[in-house]
Amino acid sequence: MSWKKNLGLATVFVGATLGTLHFINKLFSYIATADNLLSEENYKYYEWRFGKIAYKKKGSGSPILLIHSLDVCSSSHEWKNIEDTLSKTNTVYSIDLLGCGCSEHPILTYTNFLYVQLITDFIKHEIGEKTDVIVSGDSSSFVLMACANDDTIIDRIIMINPQNMVSLAKVPTKRTITIKYLLSMPIIGTFIYNMRVNKRTIAQKFADTYYYDHNKIDEKDIFTCFEASHKDKAHSKYLYASKKSRFTNTNITCCLTKLNNSIFIIVGNANPENMLSANQYQNQMPSIEIIGIDEAKQLPHVEKADEFMEQVQVLFFKEE
């Protein structure tokens, strides 16, 4: 068989494989978003320079900004169990971060400083006054950095299970940058992303990381996270690639020493690592107060909303 014929067969095989993967990707995207659980009609939009930012605004009174965890599965839906309660006494803003939920998903490298700028600009242009912040998981570092850069925008902060400071300080390497390049490829990268982020893997994360009591897991929440991770033709993969390659990381040790804000950390006690991470922050800034919620893991504000709100009332409203 001549080399030309071999080349022709190889070309047909590669073309057929890529065509099949492209079809699978399209089907995956359709299945994930068919239910329209994150209806864009429920949001307002902030026209930011890197893309439209979806957010909700409820209630009246002094402002509180709710910022979900930096995860392709996350969105402002994370605050569904507490935002209505908070809105009875405060103006509550809950945003979808760039690359998440109903916000735009631009093709770019997502960095820590990008989100610092987003938080700063959103508070200045949409809220218009100094605000309290409740922030979840990996997004906590953005809020601390925003405080360090501009002390006029954020007052009190509650962090929920913030990221371990050691892992947060890790920088990109040649290996992680290669992973980012692979995930950013149009068809193959999308297929890899779909295999890594799907209903099964999300359900596993709920069971292993998010919830202590598996009986409280709502399948609708799993489908909502699945949809959030595949909106806009699965362009959340660019955020996923940036996280995997550590571009959203930063060393916040020096940042903490500059802050004068009242900062509180609420942790789910069912995961011992959460308390260890919280202690790292307290070691750098002894004024930080740590509160544990029993029988909860990564999402105490979802799994044990009433107990979580009791703590918020004590921390934010005890002086009022």
Side-chain angles (χ1 to χ4, degrees):
M1 189 178 290
S2 69
W3 67 269
K4 289 183 178 180
K5 199 165 186 178
N6 287 335
L7 181 60
L9 288 172
T11 302
V12 170
F13 175 76
V14 171
T17 301
L18 291 176
T20 301
L21 294 181
H22 181 65
F23 173 77
I24 292 172
N25 291 338
K26 289 283 188 181
L27 181 62
F28 217 93
S29 181
Y30 172 77
I31 292 172
T33 58
D35 292 332
N36 195 30
L37 297 171
L38 294 170
S39 175
E40 297 183 10
E41 296 177 356
N42 298 326
Y43 292 84
K44 298 176 180 291
Y45 285 90
Y46 166 49
E47 297 286 345
W48 194 43
R49 60 183 180 272
F50 290 108
K52 289 195 301 183
I53 303 301
Y55 71 96
K56 298 175 185 176
K57 179 181 177 182
K58 297 182 179 181
S60 61
S62 60
I64 294 180
L65 175 60
L66 306 179
I67 303 173
H68 63 80
S69 179
L70 187 68
D71 189 294
V72 292
C73 301
S74 296
S75 69
S76 55
H77 180 76
E78 183 175 324
W79 307 106
K80 65 186 179 72
N81 289 348
I82 69 167
E83 60 184 357
D84 287 341
T85 303
L86 283 172
S87 68
K88 293 176 181 178
T89 54
N90 298 80
T91 304
V92 178
Y93 296 83
S94 53
I95 68 172
D96 286 356
L97 294 172
L98 192 72
C100 301
C102 291
S103 290
E104 282 196 52
H105 302 69
I107 301 173
L108 49 75
T109 298
Y110 293 79
T111 65
N112 187 283
F113 189 68
L114 177 77
Y115 289 108
V116 171
Q117 285 298 304
L118 169 57
I119 292 168
T120 301
D121 291 345
F122 183 84
I123 293 173
K124 286 184 174 181
H125 300 150
E126 292 298 311
I127 299 179
E129 61 180 299
K130 202 168 189 178
T131 183
D132 293 328
V133 176
I134 302 177
V135 58
S136 176
D138 294 357
S139 297
S140 299
S141 63
F142 313 146
V143 175
L144 297 176
M145 291 290 289
C147 282
N149 287 340
D150 189 338
D151 61 6
T152 67
I153 58 173
I154 296 173
D155 191 5
R156 296 166 296 188
I157 302 168
I158 293 177
M159 299 188 293
I160 306 167
N161 292 320
Q163 186 177 355
N164 181 287
M165 288 181 65
V166 175
S167 63
L168 183 60
K170 292 180 179 179
V171 299
T173 64
K174 289 182 179 179
R175 175 181 170 275
T176 63
I177 292 173
T178 300
I179 292 173
K180 180 178 180 295
Y181 174 78
L182 182 62
L183 285 166
S184 298
M185 294 175 68
I187 296 177
I188 296 174
T190 304
F191 181 77
I192 294 172
Y193 174 74
N194 288 337
M195 295 301 100
R196 299 286 295 177
V197 183
N198 53 59
K199 183 176 177 293
R200 180 186 59 80
T201 59
I202 293 170
Q204 193 65 47
K205 186 181 288 189
F206 268 70
D208 293 345
T209 307
Y210 288 170
Y211 277 77
Y212 170 81
D213 185 353
H214 293 176
N215 293 322
K216 292 184 177 180
I217 297 175
D218 186 346
E219 191 170 15
K220 185 178 179 180
D221 288 342
I222 295 174
F223 278 107
T224 302
C225 288
F226 183 34
E227 179 179 315
S229 64
H230 286 83
K231 287 184 73 69
D232 195 15
K233 302 175 183 177
H235 278 187
S236 290
K237 74 172 186 176
Y238 297 102
L239 170 57
Y240 182 82
S242 297
K243 281 201 67 180
K244 286 294 182 183
S245 52
R246 301 173 181 169
F247 281 96
T248 57
N249 284 359
T250 189
N251 190 330
I252 60 170
T253 302
C254 294
C255 160
L256 284 170
T257 62
K258 299 178 182 178
L259 301 180
N260 295 313
N261 305 69
S262 295
I263 300 176
F264 313 96
I265 298 178
I266 296 179
V267 301
N269 284 338
N271 185 353
E273 293 180 3
N274 291 337
M275 186 60 74
L276 292 175
S277 297
N279 287 333
Q280 292 174 349
Y281 290 81
Q282 192 179 58
N283 289 339
Q284 297 296 323
M285 187 176 178
S287 62
I288 291 176
E289 185 176 343
I290 301 173
I291 302 95
I293 294 182
D294 293 332
E295 298 184 351
K297 286 189 175 182
Q298 197 65 24
L299 302 176
H301 51 301
V302 180
E303 185 172 9
K304 304 197 78 174
D306 291 341
E307 190 171 336
F308 179 84
M309 280 306 304
E310 287 176 6
Q311 296 298 336
V312 173
Q313 292 290 333
V314 171
L315 300 175
F316 273 4
F317 305 119
K318 60 185 176 183
E319 298 175 358
E320 298 181 2

